[in-house]
Amino acid sequence: MEKILLTLSDRMIAPRFDLATEVLIVSTKNGAAVDSQKSMLLPGPSADDLCGLVMKEDIAVLICGGIEEEHYQFLTWKKVRVFDRVIGEDEDVLAEFLRGTLQPGAIVENRKGSGADSHG
Amino acid sequence: MNVLEIINGIPHPVALLDRQFRLSSMNSKLEALTGHAAEKVKGIGVEHVLRFNFGIGEIQAGLAKGASFAKEGDVIDAGRKRIPIRLTTSPLKGKNDRLDGIMMVLEDISLLHELDRKVLRRGAPDALIGHSAKMEEIYELLPVLACTDATVLITGETGTGKDLLAEAVHKASKRADHPFIKVNSGAIPEALLESELFGHKRGAFTGAHSDKPGMFRLAQGGTIFLTEIGDLPLQLQVKLLTVLDDREFYPLGSSKKVSVDVRVITGTHRDLKQLVREGTFREDLYFRLNVLRAHLPPLRERGNDVLLLLDHFLKQIEENSGRSGMSFTEAALARLAGYHYPGNVRELRNIVEYAASMCKNSRIDLRHLPPYVLSQEEETYPDRPVQPPSISPDARRPLSNGEPPPSSLVDSASSWTEIEKKKILAALLRNNGSRSLAARELGWGRSTLWRKIKQYEIE
């Protein structure tokens, strides 16, 4: 079982990790999402608090927008895999991750639309 | 030349957006900053690509006013670095003033921030300094003055820092990103003042070869500080009153009204109420200007701030001149602490500068101080003992009753001459007429003393 945390802003990946006030935590097993999904509204934006939440929830993968080097280094040191600078809607990004094709800096297009995705 | 070539020629990251704030193009500098290729992010909301720390709603609100809009903040770049930026957003209008798109220019202001930090570390030269109760009152008042757009009248003797307070109010206000313009109403000839303030149209008068915007228009969005407002001619007082009421005016020689959004702060060392009584200042303008008021205390009422300021200006001189370890002797400090500073902080700064220039080593002594500071004790307050600053800070407030100092003793050239003449005579008497010993006591070379003896005809 592996837990993934996505920082969100109106169903899109939040442009900045330090300003995100909403997160989605998804549990996966053998490369597929299990039913348990948890959406949380945070009391306010704080990169430090978010790092604390990642630790507390025992998150293995973080998918976010822009993140500062200091927090990135801390999380990777704590063995969290970080996919940063990602742009796209939560469902599409998650699907891309589960397919194993998500990369840092990915611009994930709406799968219901063109069906194509690209990496910036 | 296509648009991409134009924006690539701009030395800052630039983004072009459609009306929905979606990216339509960006230059190579912005591609490098964000780590995304322009063609890949086309149609994506700008906030997702630029990653700035403010909401798009703030920019929309700023643009709704119809003009360019600048905002400072930060972005996180492709290298995961937070970069302080100034974002200038401009509407791109087509035919019939229709909004066709939006241009965003990001200016990296990291260097400015670094410079600000250095200046703060060195003690900002333009900061208000002091911890006295009266200055604390001013600091408490500052946020109140900054959070409104009401006119402020700053009063205080000359050299108390009215300009600094006005600028501090501007910097703490929401207008801080816009210009702060200072106009000395007393320093500009009456005939030119109207044109200087309100601008003129080409041909409005002889010599008006081109249109001039005037200070009010240059301060658009910001603050204009009219210092020495008591010296404003009556005719211009009416025009100023109109600007304050209607926020618009006619430049000289123009039939087209100009609207401005400018906050007005005024300053004066005069008693405006008295001027109103004398009929040289309009009562209605006085009431209009006197919405919020701040009075800066004279230095003689600021207690220990004198020592703080002495130390501050000495440090500033050290840094500017590359000297180090400078200090005052106890005697010099006691004399400086006891002096009444009719010219307030400005005079104190000049005294420190004079003394530091006169002092060739690192200890500033009595002999390095300007002669009028040394003479003041005997001339003005013969009975007042010199108190060391550490014993009684209050003792160096000889004029704390608020009376103005007898400035004639220190200001006029004739009394200065007299003071110096007496000083030379006293030194000669103490040294039994020996010119070399007297010169040494006075801290002058023998030739200087000889020249002054000749000049004052001392025989």
Side-chain angles (χ1 to χ4, degrees):
Chain A
M1 185 93 106
E2 195 176 53
K3 279 165 104 178
I4 306 162
L5 186 145
L6 298 91
T7 54
L8 298 182
S9 168
D10 293 333
R11 298 205 57 206
M12 291 282 285
I13 297 294
R16 278 176 56 158
F17 178 75
D18 58 341
L19 301 177
T21 52
E22 189 185 345
V23 298
L24 177 70
I25 299 173
V26 182
S27 300
T28 63
K29 198 171 184 181
N30 301 326
V34 295
D35 282 344
S36 125
Q37 278 199 4
K38 187 158 72 171
S39 184
M40 287 172 74
L41 278 175
L42 308 175
S46 164
D48 289 341
D49 289 353
L50 257 176
C51 286
L53 181 70
V54 169
M55 293 296 99
K56 192 181 143 206
E57 292 284 339
D58 198 20
I59 301 293
V61 176
L62 167 71
I63 300 173
C64 62
I67 182 171
E68 275 188 89
E69 184 69 12
E70 187 188 348
H71 299 111
Y72 178 85
Q73 290 296 345
F74 169 78
L75 292 167
T76 49
W77 174 59
K78 289 285 181 186
K79 306 277 188 278
V80 177
R81 278 195 293 150
V82 180
F83 293 83
D84 66 337
R85 301 192 299 113
V86 172
I87 301 173
E89 280 193 23
D90 53 357
E91 279 182 25
D92 302 316
V93 170
L94 187 60
E96 184 100 354
F97 171 76
L98 293 173
R99 268 197 305 277
T101 50
L102 187 71
Q103 286 182 19
I107 299 160
V108 183
E109 289 179 19
N110 193 326
R111 304 292 299 180
K112 291 164 200 155
S114 65
D117 62 48
S118 56
H119 303 288
Chain B
M1 189 181 275
N2 65 26
V3 177
L4 194 61
E5 279 180 59
I6 295 171
I7 60 173
N8 271 331
I10 299 174
H12 299 292
V14 179
L16 296 177
L17 321 176
D18 63 16
R19 279 177 285 175
Q20 276 76 46
F21 284 80
R22 291 179 305 217
L23 275 158
S24 49
S25 184
M26 56 189 200
N27 69 357
S28 52
K29 288 196 168 56
L30 190 55
E31 286 182 319
L33 181 92
T34 59
H36 294 297
E39 57 194 68
K40 302 274 183 188
V41 292
K42 210 169 178 177
I44 294 176
V46 66
E47 69 274 25
H48 292 282
V49 181
L50 266 59
R51 304 185 191 101
F52 35 62
N53 67 332
F54 31 81
I56 210 77
E58 286 180 67
I59 299 169
Q60 281 169 330
L63 269 186
K65 291 176 185 168
S68 283
F69 168 72
K71 188 163 175 58
E72 281 188 18
D74 57 56
V75 295
I76 293 182
D77 74 355
R80 305 190 184 97
K81 197 174 156 199
R82 186 200 292 253
I83 301 174
I85 52 124
R86 181 181 294 120
L87 177 73
T88 307
T89 311
S90 310
L92 301 174
K93 289 181 179 173
K95 280 180 188 167
N96 303 324
D97 226 19
R98 202 179 70 116
L99 184 69
D100 279 351
I102 294 142
M103 181 165 81
M104 283 184 167
V105 179
L106 283 86
E107 197 182 338
D108 183 344
I109 52 171
S110 320
L111 281 175
L112 281 176
H113 274 229
E114 184 56 32
L115 202 63
D116 274 354
R117 272 198 294 276
K118 277 185 185 164
V119 168
L120 283 173
R121 274 201 298 271
R122 289 170 58 173
D126 58 347
L128 287 162
I129 291 163
H131 297 305
S132 59
K134 293 208 169 180
M135 285 310 285
E136 291 294 338
E137 283 173 22
I138 295 287
Y139 300 144
E140 278 174 28
L141 190 62
L142 192 93
V144 179
L145 301 179
C147 73
T148 84
D149 252 354
T151 50
V152 181
L153 176 62
I154 303 173
T155 56
E157 289 178 12
T158 179
T160 46
K162 295 185 284 291
D163 302 20
L164 292 185
L165 179 60
E167 197 165 354
V169 171
H170 167 75
K171 281 182 178 168
S173 75
K174 62 179 185 200
R175 295 175 177 270
D177 292 338
H178 296 278
F180 172 78
I181 289 186
K182 180 184 145 186
V183 183
N184 188 335
S185 320
I188 301 168
E190 191 176 334
L192 293 178
L193 192 57
E194 183 170 4
S195 148
E196 203 61 35
L197 285 174
F198 304 107
H200 63 241
K201 192 99 180 121
R202 184 181 170 190
F205 51 84
T206 314
H209 299 302
S210 58
D211 289 359
K212 182 174 179 165
M215 297 299 188
F216 264 95
R217 262 196 282 181
L218 290 178
Q220 178 66 15
T223 307
I224 192 163
F225 176 50
L226 302 172
T227 178
E228 301 314 342
I229 192 72
D231 297 336
L232 194 72
L234 267 168
Q235 179 210 344
L236 285 184
Q237 289 178 25
V238 184
K239 198 157 180 173
L240 178 61
L241 190 63
T242 315
V243 177
L244 290 171
D245 285 338
D246 306 336
R247 302 269 156 202
E248 50 189 20
F249 58 86
Y250 289 100
L252 260 174
S254 171
S255 56
K256 201 177 161 194
K257 255 187 186 174
V258 171
S259 294
V260 284
D261 170 27
V262 174
R263 186 188 191 182
V264 177
I265 300 181
T266 56
T268 184
H269 69 282
R270 291 165 175 253
D271 182 355
L272 284 188
K273 258 187 176 172
Q274 180 61 31
L275 295 182
V276 169
R277 277 193 291 272
E278 289 168 7
T280 53
F281 202 83
R282 289 181 65 101
E283 191 173 27
D284 44 7
L285 181 60
Y286 170 70
F287 289 129
R288 192 71 182 75
L289 297 177
N290 199 19
V291 178
L292 291 170
R293 188 173 188 153
H295 178 73
L296 280 165
L299 194 50
R300 61 180 176 278
E301 292 175 11
R302 288 175 54 182
N304 275 332
D305 283 355
V306 172
L307 300 178
L308 203 65
L309 287 160
L310 285 170
D311 187 54
H312 167 75
F313 288 123
L314 193 62
K315 279 209 174 92
Q316 213 173 64
I317 288 167
E318 272 187 343
E319 277 168 16
N320 293 339
S321 62
R323 295 163 77 175
S324 63
M326 293 190 78
S327 61
F328 295 97
T329 63
E330 274 188 26
L333 209 54
R335 183 60 59 96
L336 286 170
Y339 183 60
H340 67 287
Y341 300 99
N344 294 294
V345 183
R346 188 186 290 122
E347 186 185 8
L348 180 142
R349 188 188 58 203
N350 292 344
I351 289 172
V352 177
E353 206 168 331
Y354 175 97
S357 308
M358 289 294 139
C359 177
K360 299 298 168 212
N361 50 41
S362 60
R363 291 280 282 170
I364 296 176
D365 201 3
L366 280 177
R367 65 199 161 95
H368 301 123
L369 303 182
Y372 66 88
V373 175
L374 296 173
S375 313
Q376 182 213 335
E377 296 292 328
E378 301 96 52
E379 294 291 322
T380 320
Y381 312 105
D383 300 329
R384 190 163 62 86
V386 175
Q387 295 285 342
S390 55
I391 295 172
S392 167
D394 290 337
R396 68 185 116 80
R397 286 191 260 167
L399 290 172
S400 58
N401 57 4
E403 281 177 31
S407 55
S408 58
L409 274 169
V410 288
D411 287 349
S412 78
S414 63
S415 57
W416 180 294
T417 307
E418 278 304 307
I419 289 163
E420 197 161 58
K421 198 172 166 181
K422 281 182 187 172
K423 216 175 125 202
I424 294 168
L425 275 169
L428 283 167
L429 279 171
R430 273 194 298 275
N431 292 290
N432 300 318
S434 164
R435 291 185 181 187
S436 50
L437 288 176
R440 193 180 302 165
E441 185 188 312
L442 291 163
W444 296 338
R446 282 189 66 185
S447 57
T448 307
L449 180 61
W450 176 82
R451 188 167 45 77
K452 287 187 185 282
I453 286 174
K454 278 278 194 199
Q455 182 188 339
Y456 300 143
E457 297 173 344
I458 302 168
E459 288 302 333

